[in-house]
Short mmCIF file of all heavy atoms in Angstrom, two decimals:
data_model
loop_
_atom_site.label_atom_id
_atom_site.label_comp_id
_atom_site.label_asym_id
_atom_site.label_seq_id
_atom_site.Cartn_x
_atom_site.Cartn_y
_atom_site.Cartn_z
N SER O 8 79.77 119.16 42.94
CA SER O 8 80.89 120.08 42.74
C SER O 8 81.99 119.37 41.96
O SER O 8 82.22 118.19 42.11
CB SER O 8 81.38 120.55 44.10
OG SER O 8 82.70 121.01 44.04
N GLY O 9 82.71 120.12 41.16
CA GLY O 9 83.81 119.55 40.39
C GLY O 9 85.08 119.42 41.18
O GLY O 9 85.99 118.69 40.79
N ASP O 10 85.18 120.12 42.32
CA ASP O 10 86.39 120.02 43.13
C ASP O 10 86.61 118.61 43.66
O ASP O 10 87.73 118.13 43.70
CB ASP O 10 86.34 120.98 44.34
CG ASP O 10 86.43 122.43 43.94
OD1 ASP O 10 86.96 122.72 42.85
OD2 ASP O 10 85.97 123.27 44.72
N GLN O 11 85.54 117.95 44.06
CA GLN O 11 85.66 116.63 44.66
C GLN O 11 86.24 115.58 43.70
O GLN O 11 87.18 114.88 44.07
CB GLN O 11 84.32 116.19 45.22
CG GLN O 11 83.87 117.06 46.38
CD GLN O 11 82.45 116.79 46.79
OE1 GLN O 11 81.59 116.51 45.96
NE2 GLN O 11 82.20 116.88 48.08
N PRO O 12 85.72 115.47 42.47
CA PRO O 12 86.34 114.49 41.56
C PRO O 12 87.78 114.85 41.21
O PRO O 12 88.62 113.96 41.06
CB PRO O 12 85.45 114.50 40.32
CG PRO O 12 84.28 115.30 40.63
CD PRO O 12 84.50 116.01 41.91
N ARG O 13 88.09 116.13 41.09
CA ARG O 13 89.48 116.51 40.79
C ARG O 13 90.41 116.11 41.92
O ARG O 13 91.50 115.60 41.69
CB ARG O 13 89.57 118.01 40.52
CG ARG O 13 89.00 118.41 39.17
CD ARG O 13 89.39 119.82 38.78
NE ARG O 13 89.02 120.82 39.76
CZ ARG O 13 87.86 121.45 39.81
NH1 ARG O 13 86.93 121.17 38.90
NH2 ARG O 13 87.61 122.37 40.72
N GLN O 14 89.98 116.34 43.15
CA GLN O 14 90.82 115.96 44.29
C GLN O 14 90.99 114.44 44.38
O GLN O 14 92.08 113.95 44.63
CB GLN O 14 90.22 116.51 45.59
CG GLN O 14 90.31 118.02 45.67
CD GLN O 14 89.51 118.60 46.81
OE1 GLN O 14 88.85 117.89 47.57
NE2 GLN O 14 89.55 119.91 46.95
N ALA O 15 89.90 113.70 44.16
CA ALA O 15 89.99 112.24 44.19
C ALA O 15 90.88 111.74 43.04
O ALA O 15 91.67 110.82 43.22
CB ALA O 15 88.60 111.62 44.08
N GLY O 16 90.78 112.38 41.86
CA GLY O 16 91.63 112.01 40.73
C GLY O 16 93.09 112.28 41.03
O GLY O 16 93.96 111.47 40.70
N SER O 17 93.38 113.40 41.67
CA SER O 17 94.76 113.74 42.02
C SER O 17 95.37 112.72 42.97
O SER O 17 96.56 112.43 42.89
CB SER O 17 94.82 115.12 42.69
OG SER O 17 94.63 116.13 41.75
N ARG O 18 94.56 112.21 43.88
CA ARG O 18 95.04 111.25 44.87
C ARG O 18 95.00 109.81 44.37
O ARG O 18 95.54 108.92 45.01
CB ARG O 18 94.22 111.35 46.16
CG ARG O 18 94.42 112.65 46.91
CD ARG O 18 93.80 112.58 48.29
NE ARG O 18 92.40 112.15 48.28
CZ ARG O 18 91.35 112.97 48.22
NH1 ARG O 18 91.52 114.26 48.14
NH2 ARG O 18 90.13 112.48 48.22
N GLY O 19 94.29 109.58 43.27
CA GLY O 19 94.16 108.22 42.76
C GLY O 19 93.17 107.40 43.57
O GLY O 19 93.23 106.18 43.57
N ASP O 20 92.23 108.06 44.24
CA ASP O 20 91.24 107.38 45.07
C ASP O 20 90.05 106.99 44.19
O ASP O 20 89.06 107.70 44.10
CB ASP O 20 90.80 108.30 46.21
CG ASP O 20 89.94 107.60 47.23
OD1 ASP O 20 89.31 106.57 46.90
OD2 ASP O 20 89.90 108.09 48.38
N VAL O 21 90.17 105.84 43.52
CA VAL O 21 89.18 105.42 42.53
C VAL O 21 87.81 105.16 43.16
O VAL O 21 86.80 105.61 42.63
CB VAL O 21 89.68 104.21 41.72
CG1 VAL O 21 88.61 103.69 40.79
CG2 VAL O 21 90.93 104.60 40.94
N PRO O 22 87.72 104.45 44.30
CA PRO O 22 86.39 104.25 44.89
C PRO O 22 85.69 105.58 45.21
O PRO O 22 84.49 105.73 44.94
CB PRO O 22 86.66 103.45 46.16
CG PRO O 22 87.95 102.74 45.88
CD PRO O 22 88.75 103.70 45.04
N LEU O 23 86.42 106.54 45.73
CA LEU O 23 85.83 107.83 46.05
C LEU O 23 85.45 108.57 44.76
O LEU O 23 84.38 109.17 44.67
CB LEU O 23 86.79 108.67 46.89
CG LEU O 23 86.25 110.00 47.42
CD1 LEU O 23 85.01 109.78 48.29
CD2 LEU O 23 87.33 110.72 48.20
N LEU O 24 86.30 108.50 43.77
CA LEU O 24 86.03 109.13 42.47
C LEU O 24 84.74 108.57 41.87
O LEU O 24 83.86 109.31 41.45
CB LEU O 24 87.21 108.92 41.53
CG LEU O 24 87.10 109.46 40.12
CD1 LEU O 24 86.87 110.96 40.14
CD2 LEU O 24 88.35 109.12 39.33
N LYS O 25 84.63 107.24 41.87
CA LYS O 25 83.42 106.60 41.33
C LYS O 25 82.18 107.00 42.14
O LYS O 25 81.10 107.19 41.57
CB LYS O 25 83.58 105.08 41.30
CG LYS O 25 84.54 104.61 40.23
CD LYS O 25 84.63 103.10 40.23
CE LYS O 25 85.51 102.60 39.11
NZ LYS O 25 85.59 101.13 39.08
N SER O 26 82.34 107.12 43.44
CA SER O 26 81.23 107.53 44.29
C SER O 26 80.76 108.93 43.92
O SER O 26 79.55 109.17 43.77
CB SER O 26 81.64 107.48 45.76
OG SER O 26 80.63 107.99 46.59
N PHE O 27 81.70 109.86 43.77
CA PHE O 27 81.33 111.22 43.39
C PHE O 27 80.63 111.24 42.03
O PHE O 27 79.63 111.92 41.85
CB PHE O 27 82.56 112.14 43.34
CG PHE O 27 83.13 112.48 44.68
CD1 PHE O 27 84.51 112.53 44.86
CD2 PHE O 27 82.32 112.76 45.76
CE1 PHE O 27 85.05 112.86 46.09
CE2 PHE O 27 82.86 113.08 47.01
CZ PHE O 27 84.23 113.14 47.16
N LEU O 28 81.14 110.47 41.09
CA LEU O 28 80.55 110.45 39.75
C LEU O 28 79.14 109.85 39.79
O LEU O 28 78.24 110.35 39.12
CB LEU O 28 81.44 109.66 38.79
CG LEU O 28 82.81 110.28 38.52
CD1 LEU O 28 83.65 109.35 37.65
CD2 LEU O 28 82.70 111.66 37.92
N SER O 29 78.95 108.81 40.59
CA SER O 29 77.62 108.19 40.67
C SER O 29 76.61 109.11 41.34
O SER O 29 75.41 108.98 41.14
CB SER O 29 77.69 106.85 41.40
OG SER O 29 77.92 107.04 42.78
N GLN O 30 77.10 110.06 42.13
CA GLN O 30 76.23 111.02 42.80
C GLN O 30 75.97 112.26 41.94
O GLN O 30 75.32 113.20 42.39
CB GLN O 30 76.85 111.45 44.13
CG GLN O 30 76.92 110.33 45.14
CD GLN O 30 77.72 110.73 46.36
OE1 GLN O 30 77.84 111.90 46.69
NE2 GLN O 30 78.29 109.74 47.04
N GLY O 31 76.53 112.27 40.74
CA GLY O 31 76.26 113.35 39.81
C GLY O 31 77.30 114.46 39.73
O GLY O 31 77.06 115.48 39.10
N SER O 32 78.46 114.27 40.38
CA SER O 32 79.52 115.27 40.25
C SER O 32 79.94 115.39 38.79
O SER O 32 79.94 114.40 38.06
CB SER O 32 80.73 114.89 41.10
OG SER O 32 80.44 115.03 42.46
N ASN O 33 80.31 116.57 38.40
CA ASN O 33 80.67 116.84 37.01
C ASN O 33 82.15 116.55 36.77
O ASN O 33 83.01 117.31 37.22
CB ASN O 33 80.37 118.30 36.67
CG ASN O 33 80.67 118.65 35.24
OD1 ASN O 33 81.11 117.82 34.45
ND2 ASN O 33 80.44 119.90 34.89
N PRO O 34 82.49 115.48 36.02
CA PRO O 34 83.89 115.16 35.77
C PRO O 34 84.56 116.13 34.80
O PRO O 34 85.78 116.14 34.68
CB PRO O 34 83.84 113.75 35.17
CG PRO O 34 82.50 113.70 34.51
CD PRO O 34 81.59 114.52 35.39
N CYS O 35 83.77 116.95 34.12
CA CYS O 35 84.31 117.90 33.15
C CYS O 35 84.52 119.28 33.75
O CYS O 35 84.98 120.19 33.06
CB CYS O 35 83.39 118.01 31.94
SG CYS O 35 83.25 116.45 31.05
N SER O 36 84.20 119.44 35.02
CA SER O 36 84.42 120.72 35.70
C SER O 36 85.91 121.00 35.73
O SER O 36 86.72 120.11 35.95
CB SER O 36 83.85 120.63 37.11
OG SER O 36 84.17 121.79 37.84
N THR O 37 86.27 122.26 35.53
CA THR O 37 87.69 122.61 35.48
C THR O 37 88.11 123.45 36.68
O THR O 37 87.30 124.15 37.29
CB THR O 37 88.01 123.41 34.20
OG1 THR O 37 87.22 124.58 34.17
CG2 THR O 37 87.76 122.57 32.96
N ASP O 38 89.39 123.35 37.00
CA ASP O 38 89.97 124.20 38.05
C ASP O 38 90.38 125.53 37.42
O ASP O 38 90.14 125.76 36.22
CB ASP O 38 91.13 123.47 38.74
CG ASP O 38 92.32 123.20 37.83
OD1 ASP O 38 92.39 123.78 36.72
OD2 ASP O 38 93.20 122.42 38.22
N PRO O 39 90.99 126.43 38.18
CA PRO O 39 91.34 127.75 37.62
C PRO O 39 92.27 127.73 36.40
O PRO O 39 92.28 128.68 35.62
CB PRO O 39 92.00 128.47 38.80
CG PRO O 39 91.36 127.85 40.00
CD PRO O 39 91.18 126.40 39.63
N ILE O 40 93.03 126.64 36.21
CA ILE O 40 93.90 126.59 35.03
C ILE O 40 93.30 125.75 33.91
O ILE O 40 93.96 125.49 32.90
CB ILE O 40 95.32 126.09 35.39
CG1 ILE O 40 95.31 124.66 35.91
CG2 ILE O 40 95.98 127.03 36.37
CD1 ILE O 40 96.68 124.01 35.95
N GLY O 41 92.06 125.30 34.08
CA GLY O 41 91.37 124.55 33.03
C GLY O 41 91.54 123.05 33.08
O GLY O 41 91.15 122.36 32.15
N ALA O 42 92.10 122.52 34.15
CA ALA O 42 92.31 121.07 34.26
C ALA O 42 91.08 120.38 34.86
O ALA O 42 90.46 120.89 35.79
CB ALA O 42 93.54 120.78 35.12
N THR O 43 90.76 119.22 34.30
CA THR O 43 89.64 118.41 34.78
C THR O 43 90.16 117.30 35.70
O THR O 43 91.37 117.14 35.88
CB THR O 43 88.91 117.76 33.61
OG1 THR O 43 89.81 116.85 32.97
CG2 THR O 43 88.40 118.78 32.60
N ALA O 44 89.23 116.49 36.21
CA ALA O 44 89.61 115.33 37.02
C ALA O 44 90.51 114.39 36.21
O ALA O 44 91.46 113.82 36.74
CB ALA O 44 88.38 114.59 37.51
N LEU O 45 90.23 114.25 34.93
CA LEU O 45 91.04 113.40 34.06
C LEU O 45 92.47 113.93 33.98
O LEU O 45 93.43 113.15 34.07
CB LEU O 45 90.42 113.31 32.67
CG LEU O 45 91.15 112.46 31.64
CD1 LEU O 45 91.27 111.02 32.12
CD2 LEU O 45 90.43 112.52 30.31
N HIS O 46 92.63 115.23 33.82
CA HIS O 46 93.97 115.82 33.79
C HIS O 46 94.72 115.51 35.09
O HIS O 46 95.88 115.10 35.08
CB HIS O 46 93.91 117.34 33.62
CG HIS O 46 93.40 117.78 32.30
ND1 HIS O 46 92.23 118.47 32.16
CD2 HIS O 46 93.92 117.65 31.06
CE1 HIS O 46 92.04 118.74 30.88
NE2 HIS O 46 93.05 118.26 30.19
N HIS O 47 94.04 115.73 36.21
CA HIS O 47 94.68 115.53 37.51
C HIS O 47 95.09 114.07 37.71
O HIS O 47 96.19 113.78 38.19
CB HIS O 47 93.77 115.99 38.65
CG HIS O 47 93.70 117.47 38.78
ND1 HIS O 47 94.63 118.19 39.49
CD2 HIS O 47 92.83 118.38 38.28
CE1 HIS O 47 94.33 119.47 39.44
NE2 HIS O 47 93.24 119.62 38.70
N ALA O 48 94.22 113.14 37.33
CA ALA O 48 94.55 111.72 37.46
C ALA O 48 95.74 111.36 36.58
O ALA O 48 96.68 110.68 37.02
CB ALA O 48 93.34 110.86 37.11
N ALA O 49 95.71 111.81 35.33
CA ALA O 49 96.80 111.50 34.39
C ALA O 49 98.12 112.12 34.82
O ALA O 49 99.16 111.45 34.80
CB ALA O 49 96.42 111.95 32.99
N LEU O 50 98.09 113.39 35.21
CA LEU O 50 99.32 114.08 35.60
C LEU O 50 99.98 113.46 36.83
O LEU O 50 101.19 113.57 37.00
CB LEU O 50 99.04 115.56 35.85
CG LEU O 50 98.75 116.38 34.59
CD1 LEU O 50 98.26 117.77 34.97
CD2 LEU O 50 99.98 116.47 33.71
N ASN O 51 99.17 112.80 37.65
CA ASN O 51 99.70 112.17 38.85
C ASN O 51 99.93 110.67 38.68
O ASN O 51 100.24 109.97 39.63
CB ASN O 51 98.78 112.44 40.05
CG ASN O 51 98.89 113.89 40.49
OD1 ASN O 51 99.89 114.29 41.05
ND2 ASN O 51 97.87 114.69 40.19
N GLY O 52 99.79 110.18 37.44
CA GLY O 52 100.11 108.79 37.13
C GLY O 52 99.11 107.77 37.64
O GLY O 52 99.47 106.61 37.83
N HIS O 53 97.87 108.17 37.84
CA HIS O 53 96.85 107.25 38.37
C HIS O 53 96.05 106.63 37.24
O HIS O 53 94.98 107.10 36.87
CB HIS O 53 95.94 107.98 39.36
CG HIS O 53 96.69 108.56 40.52
ND1 HIS O 53 97.43 107.78 41.38
CD2 HIS O 53 96.81 109.83 40.96
CE1 HIS O 53 97.97 108.55 42.31
NE2 HIS O 53 97.62 109.81 42.07
N VAL O 54 96.59 105.54 36.69
CA VAL O 54 95.99 104.88 35.53
C VAL O 54 94.56 104.43 35.82
O VAL O 54 93.66 104.61 34.98
CB VAL O 54 96.85 103.69 35.07
CG1 VAL O 54 96.19 102.92 33.95
CG2 VAL O 54 98.24 104.16 34.67
N GLU O 55 94.34 103.88 37.00
CA GLU O 55 92.99 103.40 37.33
C GLU O 55 91.99 104.56 37.38
O GLU O 55 90.84 104.41 37.00
CB GLU O 55 92.99 102.64 38.66
CG GLU O 55 93.78 101.35 38.64
CD GLU O 55 95.28 101.57 38.89
OE1 GLU O 55 95.69 102.72 39.20
OE2 GLU O 55 96.04 100.60 38.77
N GLY O 56 92.45 105.71 37.85
CA GLY O 56 91.59 106.89 37.87
C GLY O 56 91.25 107.35 36.47
O GLY O 56 90.12 107.73 36.18
N VAL O 57 92.26 107.33 35.59
CA VAL O 57 92.03 107.69 34.18
C VAL O 57 91.01 106.74 33.58
O VAL O 57 90.07 107.16 32.91
CB VAL O 57 93.35 107.67 33.39
CG1 VAL O 57 93.10 107.77 31.89
CG2 VAL O 57 94.28 108.77 33.87
N GLU O 58 91.18 105.44 33.82
CA GLU O 58 90.25 104.45 33.27
C GLU O 58 88.84 104.68 33.80
O GLU O 58 87.87 104.60 33.04
CB GLU O 58 90.72 103.04 33.60
CG GLU O 58 91.95 102.65 32.83
CD GLU O 58 92.55 101.32 33.28
OE1 GLU O 58 92.21 100.84 34.38
OE2 GLU O 58 93.36 100.77 32.52
N ALA O 59 88.71 104.98 35.09
CA ALA O 59 87.39 105.21 35.68
C ALA O 59 86.71 106.41 35.03
O ALA O 59 85.48 106.41 34.86
CB ALA O 59 87.52 105.44 37.18
N LEU O 60 87.47 107.40 34.64
CA LEU O 60 86.91 108.59 34.02
C LEU O 60 86.63 108.41 32.54
O LEU O 60 85.91 109.21 31.94
CB LEU O 60 87.84 109.79 34.24
CG LEU O 60 87.86 110.30 35.67
CD1 LEU O 60 89.13 111.08 35.96
CD2 LEU O 60 86.62 111.13 35.95
N CYS O 61 87.18 107.36 31.93
CA CYS O 61 87.03 107.13 30.49
C CYS O 61 86.09 105.98 30.17
O CYS O 61 86.01 105.55 29.03
CB CYS O 61 88.39 106.86 29.86
SG CYS O 61 89.45 108.31 29.84
N VAL O 62 85.37 105.47 31.15
CA VAL O 62 84.45 104.36 30.94
C VAL O 62 83.03 104.88 31.08
O VAL O 62 82.72 105.64 31.99
CB VAL O 62 84.73 103.22 31.94
CG1 VAL O 62 83.65 102.15 31.88
CG2 VAL O 62 86.09 102.60 31.67
N THR O 63 82.17 104.46 30.16
CA THR O 63 80.78 104.91 30.19
C THR O 63 80.01 104.16 31.26
O THR O 63 80.49 103.18 31.83
CB THR O 63 80.10 104.66 28.83
OG1 THR O 63 79.96 103.26 28.64
CG2 THR O 63 80.89 105.28 27.69
N ASP O 64 78.78 104.57 31.48
CA ASP O 64 77.94 103.91 32.47
C ASP O 64 77.56 102.50 32.06
O ASP O 64 77.04 101.73 32.86
CB ASP O 64 76.69 104.74 32.78
CG ASP O 64 75.83 105.01 31.56
OD1 ASP O 64 76.23 104.65 30.44
OD2 ASP O 64 74.75 105.58 31.75
N ARG O 65 77.82 102.12 30.83
CA ARG O 65 77.57 100.75 30.37
C ARG O 65 78.81 99.87 30.52
O ARG O 65 78.81 98.72 30.13
CB ARG O 65 77.09 100.76 28.93
CG ARG O 65 75.71 101.37 28.78
CD ARG O 65 75.20 101.29 27.36
NE ARG O 65 76.04 101.99 26.39
CZ ARG O 65 76.03 103.31 26.19
NH1 ARG O 65 75.22 104.06 26.88
NH2 ARG O 65 76.80 103.86 25.29
N GLY O 66 79.88 100.43 31.06
CA GLY O 66 81.08 99.65 31.30
C GLY O 66 81.99 99.50 30.09
O GLY O 66 82.87 98.65 30.09
N THR O 67 81.76 100.32 29.07
CA THR O 67 82.61 100.26 27.88
C THR O 67 83.47 101.51 27.81
O THR O 67 83.11 102.55 28.34
CB THR O 67 81.76 100.15 26.60
OG1 THR O 67 80.89 101.28 26.54
CG2 THR O 67 80.94 98.88 26.58
N ALA O 68 84.59 101.39 27.16
CA ALA O 68 85.47 102.54 27.00
C ALA O 68 84.78 103.60 26.16
O ALA O 68 84.16 103.29 25.14
CB ALA O 68 86.78 102.12 26.34
N ALA O 69 84.84 104.83 26.61
CA ALA O 69 84.15 105.93 25.92
C ALA O 69 84.60 106.05 24.47
O ALA O 69 83.79 106.37 23.60
CB ALA O 69 84.39 107.25 26.66
N TRP O 70 85.88 105.78 24.20
CA TRP O 70 86.38 105.96 22.83
C TRP O 70 85.83 104.89 21.89
O TRP O 70 85.98 105.01 20.70
CB TRP O 70 87.90 105.99 22.79
CG TRP O 70 88.54 104.84 23.48
CD1 TRP O 70 88.81 103.61 22.98
CD2 TRP O 70 88.97 104.81 24.85
NE1 TRP O 70 89.37 102.81 23.95
CE2 TRP O 70 89.49 103.53 25.10
CE3 TRP O 70 88.97 105.73 25.88
CZ2 TRP O 70 90.01 103.15 26.34
CZ3 TRP O 70 89.47 105.35 27.10
CH2 TRP O 70 89.98 104.08 27.33
N GLY O 71 85.15 103.88 22.39
CA GLY O 71 84.50 102.88 21.55
C GLY O 71 83.05 103.23 21.24
O GLY O 71 82.37 102.52 20.53
N GLU O 72 82.59 104.34 21.77
CA GLU O 72 81.21 104.78 21.60
C GLU O 72 81.05 105.53 20.27
O GLU O 72 82.00 106.15 19.80
CB GLU O 72 80.80 105.70 22.74
CG GLU O 72 80.73 105.01 24.08
CD GLU O 72 79.64 103.96 24.16
OE1 GLU O 72 78.48 104.28 23.87
OE2 GLU O 72 79.97 102.82 24.50
N PRO O 73 79.85 105.51 19.70
CA PRO O 73 79.61 106.30 18.49
C PRO O 73 79.91 107.78 18.75
O PRO O 73 79.65 108.30 19.83
CB PRO O 73 78.10 106.10 18.24
CG PRO O 73 77.77 104.84 18.94
CD PRO O 73 78.69 104.76 20.13
N GLY O 74 80.49 108.41 17.77
CA GLY O 74 80.82 109.83 17.89
C GLY O 74 82.26 110.10 18.29
O GLY O 74 82.72 111.22 18.20
N TRP O 75 82.97 109.07 18.76
CA TRP O 75 84.39 109.25 19.09
C TRP O 75 85.20 108.90 17.87
O TRP O 75 85.04 107.86 17.27
CB TRP O 75 84.78 108.34 20.26
CG TRP O 75 84.37 108.88 21.57
CD1 TRP O 75 83.10 108.89 22.08
CD2 TRP O 75 85.19 109.49 22.55
NE1 TRP O 75 83.09 109.48 23.30
CE2 TRP O 75 84.37 109.86 23.61
CE3 TRP O 75 86.55 109.78 22.61
CZ2 TRP O 75 84.86 110.50 24.74
CZ3 TRP O 75 87.03 110.41 23.75
CH2 TRP O 75 86.19 110.76 24.79
N ALA O 76 86.08 109.77 17.49
CA ALA O 76 86.92 109.54 16.31
C ALA O 76 88.13 108.72 16.68
O ALA O 76 88.61 108.73 17.74
CB ALA O 76 87.35 110.86 15.70
#
């Protein structure tokens, strides 16, 4: 479910967020206003949560991957 990563992102609970993501939760799932877990983490000032959502499974920043402008 997308609710779980959004709630963990809002609280800045990085271990729980990573757990949900490793179990296959969709980080791109949106709430009724279109916000994702990344939006919730950023809006609440949780830098570590933002970083956790922006790192690939290889441990590199997503924006360093091919296809990111």
